[in-house]
Amino acid sequence: MIAAVTAPLHFYQLSEPRSVVFDEVHFGRMINAYTTTGEYFFELHPPAAKLLIAGAVKLGGYRGGQRFPMIHWPITNVSPALLRGVPALAGTLIPLLMFALLVQLGASDFGALIGGLALALDNALLIETRLLIVDGVLLAATLASLCCALAAQRAKRGRLAWALAAGAFAGLAVGTKLTALAVVALIGLCGIAEWLRDRRAAVLRALVADGAAFAASALAVYATAWWLHYALLTGPGSGDRWAPRTGDWIADTLHTHASMWSQNVGLASGHAY
């Protein structure tokens, strides 16, 4: 029932409006950089979700040519639905993931249904996930990581697979925005609570194994996104001013993170919208 509500809401007339909306003016340029121009840019957040969207757009046949100079600029050289497809899919999944999470937390099927439908019908969330912006991917990956982590704790078989999946989704979430580190902390607290309920050595060993698998998977996804970021952005660009490249992969990534942190904490002006 949730899927029957959320899928049409996200995909019906996804190409409307056929012009650049809000922060699509920024993310459109980044998609161009990843898919066609290779222009090196600096952004306040990690690249994972942007790369995911760029990959889908590239597979969908986009070969460049669409400009994103300003809000309201017409989108004529690519289907707007192609640009917004990954965020719309994430938005479709968010209510379903909330349903699964609520069931895992002990809610009745009816209660979980109400929770899922509430997210499916939330106007702000719906608008956010019908545009070329990354917050939908952030939320979907966060919920998926929580669901998989809880499934790992309760699994009698396949516990390692659930822990690896939880880590991969956490890596995607943190690789979208660093605020998703909160989900890593929350999953850690869940593990501590599990051990406090049952302090047997076997439980501790299982939780340590879960943590190791989770961390390895999360780091692999997060690091792969940064590797792709540098591999695709080989040309000169505005990013050379904020996070110049030296060629030593790891050092460049650390320097970029330092720049991201300083720019985020230094934001003082408000947003026009």
Side-chain angles (χ1 to χ4, degrees), residues 4-85:
V5 172
T6 187
L9 285 174
H10 283 90
F11 285 98
Y12 178 66
Q13 292 191 340
L14 186 58
S15 287
E16 300 297 331
R18 294 179 176 273
S19 60
V20 177
V21 181
F22 190 51
D23 275 356
E24 289 184 334
V25 71
H26 303 300
F27 290 111
R29 295 170 186 171
M30 296 172 197
I31 297 305
N32 276 342
Y34 284 134
T35 58
T36 56
T37 68
E39 180 182 343
Y40 180 58
F41 64 85
F42 171 78
E43 217 258 316
L44 295 178
H45 305 292
K50 296 182 284 288
L51 284 164
L52 187 64
I53 296 170
V57 170
K58 187 76 170 180
L59 288 174
Y62 180 58
R63 296 296 180 266
Q66 176 61 48
R67 297 176 60 222
F68 300 86
M70 64 183 71
I71 294 173
H72 301 311
W73 187 266
I75 299 176
T76 57
N77 291 332
V78 61
S79 167
L82 179 61
L83 295 173
R84 299 164 181 161

Side-chain angles (χ1 to χ4, degrees), residues 88-166:
L89 177 60
T92 300
L93 293 175
I94 286 170
L96 299 171
L97 290 166
M98 178 55 74
F99 175 87
L101 181 61
L102 289 172
V103 169
Q104 286 179 304
L105 293 174
S108 66
D109 287 349
F110 179 73
L113 175 65
I114 295 300
L117 288 175
L119 284 188
L121 298 173
D122 183 275
N123 283 341
L125 184 59
L126 179 60
I127 292 172
E128 285 254 328
T129 51
R130 283 178 57 93
L131 298 176
L132 174 57
I133 50 181
V134 299
D135 298 274
V137 177
L138 170 68
L139 290 173
T142 296
L143 290 172
S145 183
L146 281 170
C147 286
C148 291
L150 291 175
Q153 288 188 6
R154 291 162 172 75
K156 295 181 178 178
R157 307 173 84 177
R159 181 167 183 145
L160 177 61
W162 283 116
L164 289 170

Side-chain angles (χ1 to χ4, degrees), residues 27 30-31 34 41 43 45-56 86 134 137-138 141 168-178 218 220-229 232 260:
F27 290 111
M30 296 172 197
I31 297 305
Y34 284 134
F41 64 85
E43 217 258 316
H45 305 292
K50 296 182 284 288
L51 284 164
L52 187 64
I53 296 170
V86 169
V134 299
V137 177
L138 170 68
F169 284 120
L172 175 57
V174 177
T176 300
K177 287 190 176 182
L178 294 178
V221 171
Y222 189 77
T224 298
W226 279 106
W227 176 79
L228 284 171
H229 175 79
L232 293 172
M260 287 165 52

Side-chain angles (χ1 to χ4, degrees), residues 196-222:
L196 290 176
R197 283 194 297 266
D198 188 346
R199 300 191 183 188
R200 289 179 298 161
V203 173
L204 181 59
R205 284 196 298 270
L207 289 172
V208 170
D210 287 350
F214 177 92
S217 183
L219 286 172
V221 171
Y222 189 77

